[in-house]
Amino acid sequence: MSKHDDNAAAEEELGDESKSIIFSMISQFTRDMDLSRITFPTFVLEPRSFTERVTDFIASKSDDPVQRFVGVVKYYMSGWHIHPRGVKKPYNPILGEFFRSQYEFDDASGAYFVAEQVSHHPPITAMFYHSPEHRIAIEGDLRPLSRFQGNSVGMLLGGYAKIHFLDRPGEIYEVTYPNMYARGILFGKMVLELGEMSTVTCKHNDL
């Protein structure tokens, strides 16, 4: 796929009716307003909840600690390429909502994932992933905070994820999240961007 095709898949241009609805909503917003309590029209929403959205980030294993670290970074970065066409916001989960899934891999191994909305205001999604055969477990939470910023909407992603290699005691990779921005809300094409800082660290291996 060309770079042009990649950019086109990340952009969206709203029709006149949709723009009219957005402008009507935005006229009631103030800068840095918390958007977690706002009900959005369905055309700006993904067809899934935030509890399911976190599965986009669910590594290779090697005897070399540096290669294991690189594998974790690759796995984590690849999840940010999974999104619907254009700019879409996941549905806000209700308190106690959960999402469960089971995965079957080509080598006949499997994995299990569960996410639950443990707080509604502020929104917090807790998650856990386990692959028994591969001896990998992932725990963490996401604490998104949305802010209106004029021609952009920012989603500040608090929380963390910890990746455990269970056959290597003490080897834990801790991941923090970048912020997400939907640009072009008022004018121009709507496009999703990542910003600020995201980190991947492993204190056990000094990486």
Side-chain angles (χ1 to χ4, degrees):
M1 180 179 290
S2 68
K3 184 176 181 181
H4 175 75
D5 292 334
D6 287 340
N7 291 339
E11 295 177 351
E12 182 174 12
E13 194 161 7
L14 297 177
D16 291 340
E17 182 178 355
S18 297
K19 285 182 179 178
S20 177
I21 295 173
I22 292 293
F23 287 150
S24 177
M25 292 179 60
I26 288 176
S27 67
Q28 305 172 49
F29 293 173
T30 58
R31 187 171 180 83
D32 291 328
M33 180 179 180
D34 182 1
L35 301 181
S36 64
R37 299 174 184 268
I38 304 299
T39 300
F40 285 88
T42 56
F43 64 81
V44 300
L45 298 174
E46 280 193 55
R48 55 180 179 168
S49 164
F50 202 82
T51 55
E52 183 178 356
R53 178 68 168 84
V54 297
T55 61
D56 291 348
F57 300 94
I58 301 302
S60 70
K61 301 186 71 175
S62 166
D63 290 332
D64 182 349
V66 174
Q67 289 303 313
R68 290 197 299 275
F69 182 83
V70 170
V72 169
V73 173
K74 286 181 177 179
Y75 132 83
Y76 174 64
M77 295 299 294
S78 66
W80 292 107
H81 291 276
I82 304 174
H83 59 79
R85 182 178 179 84
V87 179
K88 301 295 182 183
K89 173 186 176 297
Y91 279 90
N92 290 330
I94 61 174
L95 182 62
E97 178 181 334
F98 64 90
F99 174 81
R100 293 183 297 185
S101 58
Q102 179 176 344
Y103 303 88
E104 295 182 358
F105 303 126
D106 292 339
D107 61 0
S109 63
Y112 309 89
F113 174 84
V114 60
E116 180 179 353
Q117 193 71 6
V118 296
S119 174
H120 192 53
H121 291 297
I124 302 175
T125 302
M127 56 186 174
F128 181 75
Y129 168 97
H130 186 212
S131 178
E133 293 89 352
H134 293 281
R135 304 288 292 158
I136 294 176
I138 303 173
E139 58 166 318
D141 64 49
L142 275 169
R143 302 167 182 249
L145 181 61
S146 300
R147 286 286 184 262
F148 176 63
Q149 300 175 332
N151 194 41
S152 302
V153 170
M155 179 175 286
L156 314 182
L157 295 179
Y160 71 96
K162 290 184 177 180
I163 303 168
H164 301 258
F165 285 177
L166 302 177
D167 54 356
R168 299 180 184 275
E171 187 165 320
I172 302 171
Y173 298 81
E174 185 160 349
V175 175
T176 63
Y177 313 112
N179 295 329
M180 303 177 70
Y181 297 93
R183 310 289 191 190
I185 302 298
L186 296 175
F187 51 85
K189 290 185 177 181
M190 294 178 64
V191 62
L192 188 66
E193 296 179 351
L194 302 178
E196 278 72 55
M197 180 180 293
S198 174
T199 62
V200 180
T201 58
C202 178
K203 293 181 180 180
H204 182 76
N205 292 329
D206 196 26
L207 294 169

